[in-house]
Amino acid sequence: MKSITSAYDTPADGTVRGICSHDCPDSCVWEVKVEDGKAITLRGDPDHPITKGGLCAKVNPFLERVYSPERVLYPLRRVGKKGEGKFERVSWEQALTEVSNRLMSDIETYGASSILPYSFAGSQGLLQFASLDRRFFSLLRASRLDRGLCGETASAGISATQGNAKGIDPEDLRHSKFIVLWGTNTMVNNLHLWRTIQEAKNNGAKIVVIDPIRTRTAAVADWHIRPLPGTDAALALGMMHVIIQENLYDQAYVAAHTLGFEKLKERVADYAPPAAALMTGLSAEEIEEFARAYATISPAAIRVLIGMEHHEHGAMMFRTIACLPGLIGAWRDLGGGMTRSAFAYWGDALNLEALMRPDLEDETIRCFNMAKLGEVLTDKDLKPQIRSMIVYNCNPATITPNQSKVKEGLQNEDLFTVVLEQFITETARYADYVFPATTEVEHLDIVPSWGFLYIGLNKPAIAPLGEAVPNTEFFRRLAHSMNMSDPCLFDSDEQIIRDVLSGGHPWLDGINYEHLIEKGWARLRLPEGWRPFSDGGFTTISGKLEFYSQTLAEQGFDPLPVFKPSQESPAGDPELAARFPLTLITTKSMHFLNSSYVNMRRQRNSEGDPTLELHPEDARARDIQNGDVVRIFNDRGSYEIEARVTDRVRPGLVTVPFAWWSSLAPLGGSANLLTNDILSDWGGGAGFHDTLVDVATRP
Ligand SMILES: Nc1nc2c(c(=O)[nH]1)N[C@H]1C(S)=C(S)[C@@H](COP(=O)(O)OP(=O)(O)OC[C@H]3O[C@@H](n4cnc5c(=O)[nH]c(N)nc54)[C@H](O)[C@@H]3O)O[C@H]1N2
Ligand SMILES: Nc1nc2c(c(=O)[nH]1)N[C@H]1C(S)=C(S)[C@@H](COP(=O)(O)OP(=O)(O)OC[C@H]3O[C@@H](n4cnc5c(=O)[nH]c(N)nc54)[C@H](O)[C@@H]3O)O[C@H]1N2
Ligand SMILES: [Mo]
């Protein structure tokens, strides 16, 4: 089938610059050497200030992924049972006709809201991530999806305090003297920031990691503080107690740029170090010592990312931590303050309206939170039921919480599932039709990094393999096949990129399509020495950093920072904890990118078999020896896995890697069988880490 509007010129020979589009903060820029139309080598761009010529262990052999014999290269139709993963090749024409017939018949019989898009950030390229797909589903009037699985809760929490989620340039951490990596595993998940942290360390900075687990990052930090999961708000409030009581706060900054200090002072009375110690499982002395160090060594910076938001009170945790830099006036210093996602800047600078066309969306149409997929697909009372689901950039059968329900839903014969993918993932195994998706080596895109202030253009180095297409082309073809005619559904890839860059924002001055074609990447043009809140400038209603938030009060939340234990935690539900006494944290793996690469033998071998890590005390109580096969279980699910007895975890805490495909795990099973799909307080995330389990030897 001929492409409708996107065909690119790719060179037969030469070197082409592109950018890794994985959902990772680093967004590395690479160079692909092409010979006879085939990509021969791929290496990090030596001139890019963040990549500096080095990719990560998983992406170094990216071309193996591109040319993997397991790539989906043609449209496929299911021939086996759902979940079995048996397909036959069909033509694009036939697949599109059959899919559009089914969708059109569903619309006629049940209404368009019986169709559900399901996508996430499997590609961070803006075209693949959220462009023609969003326009297509809006114009179709399909059910809407709240995509809050990553980042939204953290942003929303920080915004409640600051008015927006902006922070300092992560590269400015090199000026810091005290760096708190709070609930983030930098060496595994944000590797290219490590160089900056190391530079600060060489200049005398102290590196603190706050994480219940002794991660690789914690293992090399100067100070590892390990609170009970979900209790960081209590830690931050305990720190504020010490800082206020010992007069270590910045009185001038507080007076000029914050709101509600007196109320905060009253609130922190409940969090004297001995009380905070009971809540967090830390010692009162450690809380005091940490508070004093944080308040007196400057510049002091806090780096947060995502991990900590996966809790019921995730937004409140981030909102509370965001009070700290205001209290000590850390925002004044270059290299002081807080830093999280650069998307807070891209949201301003780029023309995302032109990209996603929110004006086409009808907000009265029902909207489901993606964390609730299992519930949505199995709810018999839903009217209309979800009849068809179109999945792309995402592997919900593995990464969505409460997986048994997700799979039960996917198994339903009445559900028609279409998956646009590079591989037959656990989700694609349930598909009625699978369409082949290109990798970033094969398509044009633009990628703003969420970990740094750089944007890159991804030029295609080679022609699409087989009959694979970019997501944009898939939605053009589907729209065409469904007789949809709005011209915005057929914009070319180049046009979309031009539009995204067209907002006229000063931070994008001179950064246009031609510039990116020529240079490959650009740094957001923030003023030299940028300190976002050095002189206030918060965008809350009061214009101040709000220790007290009237907006939160009006939304029914506590207007002040507060610690509340999660419902599913030992403190929140002692009865449940009597049955399932261990808390489970499921984290990212070094050689996988979420669930991507689990199917690649090289990365799987490097990673090693999945293990459950538990503390020697908990192992002893259950008669578990290192290397035993154990069962991990709760009321939502159970599976078997090899045990590793280690003090990397605290007593009472266990951890497993989150993204193993159950079909590839040596004993089957996958972490999200056990996880909690409770929604976060605000921001629409999920409480993955508020999960109680027990572990037992096999009967
Ligand atoms: N190699 C690799 N890199 C990745 C990814 C990957 O899968 N593999 N995934 C990418 C994605 S999508 C994301 S979002 C980022 C995530 O980057 P991070 O935010 O660094 O990711 P996580 O590993 O999910 O969580 C970080 C840490 O939070 C800790 N944690 C959990 N609950 C709490 C808590 O209540 N308090 C505290 N203090 N700590 C807590 C966990 O123990 C974990 O070590 O990484 C990206 N980079
Ligand atoms: N228990 C637990 N669960 C978690 C987490 C956790 O810490 N613990 N972390 C959560 C977080 S932070 C995140 S971000 C999510 C991540 O979950 P997902 O967003 O589902 O990420 P992946 O598992 O990498 O799946 C992305 C898929 O997109 C495909 N893909 C890549 N590029 C393209 C493209 O251009 N087009 C199409 N059509 N497909 C493409 C890849 O092949 C891959 O299969 O998981 C969440 N789930
Ligand atoms: Mo994520």
Side-chain angles (χ1 to χ4, degrees):
M1 186 162 186
K2 245 181 89 68
S3 135
I4 298 182
T5 50
S6 76
Y8 327 109
D9 290 333
T10 46
D13 293 284
T15 301
V16 181
R17 218 190 266 110
I19 172 165
C20 178
S21 310
H22 284 311
D23 187 354
C24 168
D26 293 13
S27 301
C28 292
V29 170
W30 63 38
E31 293 170 339
V32 186
K33 199 163 157 218
V34 182
E35 276 174 29
D36 286 337
K38 191 168 184 285
I40 305 294
T41 57
L42 178 150
R43 57 166 206 155
D45 179 350
D47 299 328
H48 188 267
I50 302 300
T51 309
K52 289 212 168 119
L55 300 173
C56 63
K58 58 195 174 307
V59 174
N60 264 322
F62 189 78
L63 292 179
E64 286 179 13
R65 181 176 170 91
V66 174
Y67 290 112
S68 162
E70 288 168 22
R71 271 284 297 278
V72 176
L73 296 179
Y74 304 95
L76 301 172
R77 179 169 60 186
R78 178 166 66 86
V79 288
K81 290 206 195 77
K82 291 205 170 199
E84 212 172 45
K86 285 200 184 137
F87 299 95
E88 64 180 0
R89 180 177 166 182
V90 288
S91 69
W92 262 97
E93 198 100 31
Q94 190 180 353
L96 276 177
T97 308
E98 287 167 17
V99 168
S100 47
N101 283 348
R102 163 74 189 227
L103 295 181
M104 289 191 294
S105 122
D106 279 349
I107 292 172
E108 202 170 301
T109 319
Y110 306 96
S113 73
S114 69
I115 299 172
L116 180 69
Y118 199 92
S119 75
F120 205 54
S123 169
Q124 299 243 127
L126 293 178
L127 270 61
Q128 316 310 317
F129 170 62
S131 63
L132 298 187
D133 54 317
R134 303 295 163 105
R135 307 176 190 182
F136 172 85
F137 289 112
S138 292
L139 288 169
L140 205 60
R141 305 179 62 74
S143 279
R144 297 176 305 131
L145 187 70
D146 183 358
R147 295 169 171 89
L149 274 190
C150 174
E152 297 294 323
T153 297
S155 289
I158 296 170
S159 299
T161 300
Q162 303 180 170
N164 61 55
K166 295 201 173 89
I168 61 167
D169 177 351
E171 287 179 89
D172 280 342
L173 289 176
R174 67 174 179 274
H175 303 295
S176 311
K177 286 284 180 271
F178 194 80
I179 301 178
V180 186
L181 303 171
W182 202 320
T184 176
N185 188 1
T186 313
M187 288 189 81
V188 169
N189 297 321
N190 187 188
L191 184 63
H192 291 77
L193 185 62
W194 193 253
R195 201 186 296 114
T196 306
I197 306 240
Q198 192 63 49
E199 192 185 329
K201 200 170 149 73
N202 293 345
N203 290 331
K206 194 170 181 118
I207 313 300
V208 187
V209 168
I210 306 183
D211 199 307
I213 301 174
R214 193 172 66 245
T215 58
R216 280 174 197 253
T217 313
V220 298
D222 297 306
W223 190 350
H224 177 202
I225 297 175
R226 34 186 359 182
L228 293 166
T231 66
D232 300 72
L235 169 57
L237 283 155
M239 291 168 73
M240 292 192 250
H241 179 103
V242 176
I243 292 169
I244 294 174
Q245 194 171 43
E246 300 186 3
N247 246 324
L248 300 175
Y249 63 99
D250 184 331
Q251 293 183 9
Y253 193 91
V254 165
H257 304 306
T258 72
L259 180 80
F261 177 70
E262 290 305 320
K263 290 196 176 100
L264 176 73
K265 206 166 156 182
E266 280 168 35
R267 171 54 56 89
V268 300
D270 300 340
Y271 298 88
L278 280 177
M279 298 173 206
T280 56
L282 300 169
S283 73
E285 293 70 37
E286 188 167 36
I287 297 173
E288 282 169 4
E289 205 186 327
F290 178 46
R292 285 181 199 128
Y294 173 69
T296 54
I297 305 174
S298 65
I302 298 174
R303 169 68 166 184
V304 284
L305 222 54
I306 308 289
M308 205 170 38
E309 78 164 23
H310 296 323
H311 290 277
E312 183 187 341
H313 301 296
M316 185 54 94
M317 279 160 70
F318 276 89
R319 178 240 187 308
T320 303
I321 292 168
C323 291
L324 284 166
L327 190 63
I328 64 160
W331 290 115
R332 293 176 190 275
D333 307 321
L334 187 62
M338 185 156 134
T339 169
R340 201 189 75 82
S341 170
F343 231 95
Y345 288 100
W346 298 121
D348 284 3
L350 297 168
N351 190 348
L352 298 180
E353 281 74 29
L355 179 80
M356 298 161 73
R357 296 291 307 273
D359 57 302
L360 300 175
E361 190 175 328
D362 179 347
E363 292 192 351
T364 65
I365 297 176
R366 64 183 180 173
C367 182
F368 298 108
N369 186 293
M370 67 188 304
K372 293 289 181 187
L373 182 65
E375 206 170 90
V376 171
L377 293 182
T378 54
D379 180 356
K380 299 270 181 295
D381 297 327
L382 202 64
K383 286 201 178 58
Q385 303 264 301
I386 298 302
R387 297 273 312 161
S388 315
M389 182 162 72
I390 301 181
V391 184
Y392 53 102
N393 296 348
C394 192
N395 184 13
T398 300
I399 63 88
T400 304
N402 205 356
Q403 191 181 101
S404 312
K405 280 210 164 170
V406 173
K407 288 197 169 169
E408 184 189 328
L410 288 171
Q411 193 79 57
N412 181 354
E413 285 299 330
D414 293 337
L415 178 74
F416 182 73
T417 305
V418 176
V419 176
L420 176 59
E421 250 299 349
Q422 297 163 349
F423 292 95
I424 300 297
T425 58
E426 297 281 291
T427 309
R429 290 167 78 96
Y430 291 86
D432 295 280
Y433 285 86
V434 184
F435 287 88
T438 41
T439 67
E440 50 267 53
V441 175
E442 301 149 80
H443 59 227
L444 181 71
D445 216 325
I446 183 164
V447 182
S449 157
W450 57 269
F452 297 94
L453 297 172
Y454 293 82
I455 191 162
L457 187 82
N458 183 72
K459 274 204 248 178
I462 56 169
L465 299 189
E467 294 178 355
V469 298
N471 293 354
T472 44
E473 180 63 14
F474 170 78
F475 283 100
R476 279 182 208 112
R477 290 184 183 187
L478 187 58
H480 179 75
S481 170
M482 291 177 72
N483 304 318
M484 295 166 80
S485 59
D486 193 307
C488 79
L489 294 170
F490 302 96
D491 283 350
S492 74
D493 291 354
E494 181 182 321
Q495 186 59 48
I496 301 172
I497 294 179
R498 288 182 182 282
D499 290 346
V500 169
L501 294 170
S502 71
H505 200 284
W507 296 338
L508 286 183
D509 189 28
I511 306 176
N512 54 26
Y513 186 74
E514 282 70 26
H515 176 85
L516 290 177
I517 282 280
E518 159 105 23
K519 274 280 292 174
W521 51 269
R523 183 181 149 85
L524 191 73
R525 306 217 196 285
L526 284 177
E528 195 64 30
W530 172 256
R531 288 168 297 153
F533 306 119
S534 57
D535 195 22
F538 296 97
T539 52
T540 51
I541 290 180
S542 66
K544 309 265 169 129
L545 180 145
E546 296 190 346
F547 297 132
Y548 179 91
S549 163
Q550 187 58 32
T551 313
L552 283 183
E554 281 161 17
Q555 290 165 357
F557 296 106
D558 197 316
L560 286 163
V562 68
F563 164 66
K564 279 194 207 131
S566 310
Q567 287 172 53
E568 189 167 325
S569 73
D573 191 343
E575 243 169 70
L576 188 70
R579 290 173 56 218
F580 304 117
L582 302 172
T583 302
L584 173 70
I585 287 191
T586 50
T587 53
K588 316 290 195 245
S589 306
M590 182 89 172
H591 298 91
F592 303 148
L593 196 286
N594 299 324
S595 78
S596 303
Y597 296 103
V598 178
N599 59 322
M600 303 295 295
R601 190 171 299 277
R602 182 194 293 274
Q603 282 82 352
R604 210 162 60 234
N605 286 346
S606 306
E607 191 61 34
D609 285 351
T611 58
L612 170 132
E613 295 180 63
L614 84 170
H615 191 269
E617 271 176 32
D618 293 317
R620 212 170 304 124
R622 289 165 181 76
D623 205 16
I624 293 169
Q625 315 291 329
N626 202 32
D628 280 357
V629 171
V630 295
R631 195 165 67 86
I632 176 168
F633 59 96
N634 60 18
D635 285 336
R636 285 182 287 266
S638 86
Y639 69 100
E640 291 186 349
I641 183 166
E642 190 183 315
R644 178 128 73 92
V645 179
T646 166
D647 67 356
R648 250 178 40 102
V649 290
R650 301 178 47 120
L653 180 71
V654 294
T655 182
V656 295
F658 97 90
W660 272 83
W661 300 16
S662 35
S663 61
L664 294 171
L667 303 168
S670 163
N672 277 319
L673 283 167
L674 305 159
T675 50
N676 192 348
D677 64 359
I678 191 168
L679 296 185
S680 61
D681 35 10
W682 68 94
F688 291 103
H689 298 328
D690 292 331
T691 293
L692 291 176
V693 297
D694 203 358
V695 177
T697 49
R698 281 195 296 187

